Amino acid sequence: DSVEEEMDNPTFRSDTVLSDVHLHCPSKRHLMVRLNAVGQPVFLSHFKLLWSTEDLASGKHVGEITTGREYQCRSGDELCDKDSSNVKKGELNSEGVEALLDDDGDLEVVRRPQSASDLQAEDLLRDIVCPVILMKGKEDAFEDEERECTCSDVVKIEHTMATPLEDVGKQVWRAAFLLADYILFKRDTFRCCSVLELGGGTGITSIIMGTVAKRVYCTDVGEDLLAMCEQNVALNKHLMESGGGEIKVKELDWLKDEFCTDPEALYSWSEEEIADLLDHCSVIMAADVFYDDDLTDALFRTLYRITHNLRNTCTVYLALEKRLNFTLRHMDVTCEAYSHFRNTLNDLENLQDGKMKYTVEPVKLDFCQFLVYERIEQL
């Protein structure tokens, strides 16, 4: 009962970090499935692809997809219909025009958001899934949800909702969706590749990559987080069956100079896996891992160390959200974490050590949206 009350009235301390991904429908509840090893509530969310993996495999043109902007308008339509359900179209109530005036006598016009009206868009639109908390006596509700969502256009992710800064990897972040969109849009580029993800968190980007790549090493630190990631990989094996992709969840600590090879560690590397990574990896990716200057420095050191030891030329894809913060020190809105990231990236591009050469290119964000999230301009 105490857990149910807590979830009905969530309170966040000053050190709590909350992802925006789950705020599409703030009045809806998510499905709480368990408490993790450190006592944090774990939720299960179903993220529907706006384009199924069956369609991707068949090679249909991505231009046929309905984009997320149209989807958001439809969501707005539904909200508008609900909020204005007491007003009939084309009619005025008994008060006449005066009922439409505000206190100052100005006319209040209720405008309906633009919607995607053609039949094809109607077929492709997906509902945001916001499951309810699993209550006592309703255990079968979870089974029903499972039966509904074993199809090829649903990604199932266990995650937390709000955490201290050190546990933000257990949440889902917008930049992970942005990178997943890019993977699905450029799937031929990644087909049959060997891929390394740094700071994989819940594993959603690696899971999407696993639908096209040959092998993905999804890495992070912390047994609790890696166990959650491994569970998510297992929940989504149905997405990878057609392509034959494989995802391996491994520990990779940016603050250490070597791979973890301790045989007693749950997510350690074998010598064969390290050799496979170094011999075949041609893609490295990271999403929303640039929020702490020390960790950013550590990531770039790890990036240099690994790329220096790779047999092949490698392309690194970095996705992040430029977060605006007002600081008393500057008395202005700043983006300190983003600025440090750009400075470090610039240092990498200008590196002249006679061994490695890095070229940096921005990616235009005009590609299609395949997952339901808010693609803000700060991404």
Side-chain angles (χ1 to χ4, degrees):
D1 291 343
S2 61
V3 172
E4 292 174 11
E5 291 174 6
E6 180 182 340
M7 298 318 302
D8 283 339
N9 299 287
T11 56
F12 304 117
R13 304 192 309 274
S14 60
D15 62 346
T16 300
V17 182
L18 175 67
S19 167
D20 293 326
V21 167
H22 308 291
L23 300 183
H24 291 289
C25 296
S27 61
K28 300 290 185 71
R29 293 173 178 171
H30 296 263
L31 176 65
M32 178 179 147
V33 291
R34 61 186 171 87
L35 295 176
N36 64 17
V38 293
Q40 296 167 335
V42 174
F43 299 83
L44 179 67
S45 288
H46 298 147
F47 299 103
K48 286 198 174 186
L49 292 168
L50 299 176
W51 191 263
S52 73
T53 51
E54 291 174 354
D55 293 327
L56 292 176
S58 68
K60 288 188 178 179
H61 195 274
V62 292
E64 297 169 4
I65 185 175
T66 301
T67 66
R69 182 176 298 278
E70 293 171 317
Y71 178 88
Q72 289 158 11
C73 290
R74 174 52 53 95
S75 298
D77 285 350
E78 293 166 357
L79 291 174
C80 181
D81 288 344
K82 182 178 179 181
D83 293 342
S84 59
S85 58
N86 58 335
V87 180
K88 294 182 180 179
K89 290 181 181 178
E91 293 183 11
L92 293 177
N93 61 15
S94 58
E95 301 290 327
V97 176
E98 291 181 359
L100 300 179
L101 304 180
D102 63 14
D103 295 338
D104 297 325
D106 299 320
L107 181 65
E108 289 187 330
V109 181
V110 178
R111 289 186 172 87
R112 181 182 179 85
Q114 182 182 357
S115 65
S117 57
D118 68 282
L119 183 61
Q120 184 180 14
E122 182 78 26
D123 291 338
L124 290 173
L125 292 174
R126 310 292 190 193
D127 293 330
I128 298 176
V129 178
C130 299
V132 298
I133 294 177
L134 190 61
M135 301 293 188
K136 284 185 178 180
K138 296 185 180 179
E139 285 80 0
D140 58 333
F142 179 67
E143 295 175 4
D144 292 342
E145 202 77 41
E146 282 290 295
R147 281 195 293 270
E148 288 178 10
C149 294
T150 54
C151 47
S152 62
D153 61 353
V154 173
V155 184
K156 294 180 286 187
I157 297 293
E158 288 193 2
H159 59 90
T160 57
M161 290 285 278
T163 64
L165 187 62
E166 61 267 20
D167 279 339
V168 291
K170 296 175 183 176
Q171 298 188 52
V172 184
W173 299 92
R174 275 188 288 233
F177 284 92
L178 182 73
L179 188 51
D181 273 347
Y182 186 75
I183 293 165
L184 291 171
F185 181 70
K186 302 280 285 186
R187 57 194 179 279
D188 289 340
T189 301
F190 303 108
R191 203 175 299 282
C192 300
C193 284
S194 184
V195 181
L196 170 67
E197 181 173 14
L198 301 172
T202 61
I204 187 168
T205 310
S206 281
I207 289 166
I208 295 298
M209 180 64 86
T211 64
V212 291
K214 177 182 179 181
R215 180 171 294 117
V216 182
Y217 289 97
C218 181
T219 68
D220 216 309
V221 292
E223 284 190 5
D224 199 51
L225 173 57
L226 291 171
M228 177 183 287
C229 182
E230 193 170 53
Q231 167 72 357
N232 287 332
V233 171
L235 284 171
N236 293 281
K237 278 192 174 178
H238 61 286
L239 296 177
M240 292 163 271
E241 287 173 353
S242 59
E246 177 186 22
I247 300 177
K248 295 193 172 189
V249 178
K250 296 292 175 182
E251 177 185 323
L252 184 56
D253 190 340
W254 308 337
L255 300 177
K256 297 179 181 177
D257 292 333
E258 301 293 337
F259 292 94
C260 174
T261 56
D262 182 358
E264 295 185 2
L266 283 176
Y267 299 97
S268 64
W269 297 70
S270 67
E271 295 297 335
E272 292 78 13
E273 288 168 337
I274 295 174
D276 174 66
L277 175 74
L278 298 180
D279 287 345
H280 300 107
C281 179
S282 59
V283 174
I284 297 177
M285 60 181 184
D288 235 330
V289 295
F290 306 102
Y291 54 88
D292 177 90
D293 291 357
D294 292 337
L295 287 177
T296 295
D297 293 340
L299 172 64
F300 275 97
R301 286 195 300 270
T302 299
L303 202 56
Y304 177 85
R305 175 172 57 85
I306 292 176
T307 53
H308 180 260
N309 290 310
L310 291 179
R311 179 187 293 265
N312 302 309
T313 298
C314 181
T315 305
V316 183
Y317 296 90
L318 305 175
L320 70 157
E321 181 175 335
K322 183 179 180 181
R323 291 184 171 84
L324 311 175
N325 297 292
F326 180 85
T327 61
L328 292 175
R329 182 158 61 94
H330 295 92
M331 291 303 292
D332 198 1
V333 174
T334 63
C335 310
E336 292 191 38
Y338 176 77
S339 298
H340 186 77
F341 158 75
R342 289 307 301 257
N343 290 336
T344 311
L345 186 65
N346 188 58
D347 291 343
L348 188 71
E349 187 174 26
N350 294 329
L351 179 69
Q352 295 181 343
D353 63 353
K355 301 175 183 177
M356 299 292 295
K357 173 63 178 175
Y358 297 90
T359 304
V360 178
E361 297 178 11
V363 175
K364 291 183 179 180
L365 304 186
D366 55 358
F367 49 89
C368 293
Q369 184 166 339
F370 293 86
L371 287 153
V372 180
Y373 66 101
E374 186 182 9
R375 191 183 283 186
I376 59 174
E377 63 182 28
Q378 286 79 24
L379 284 172

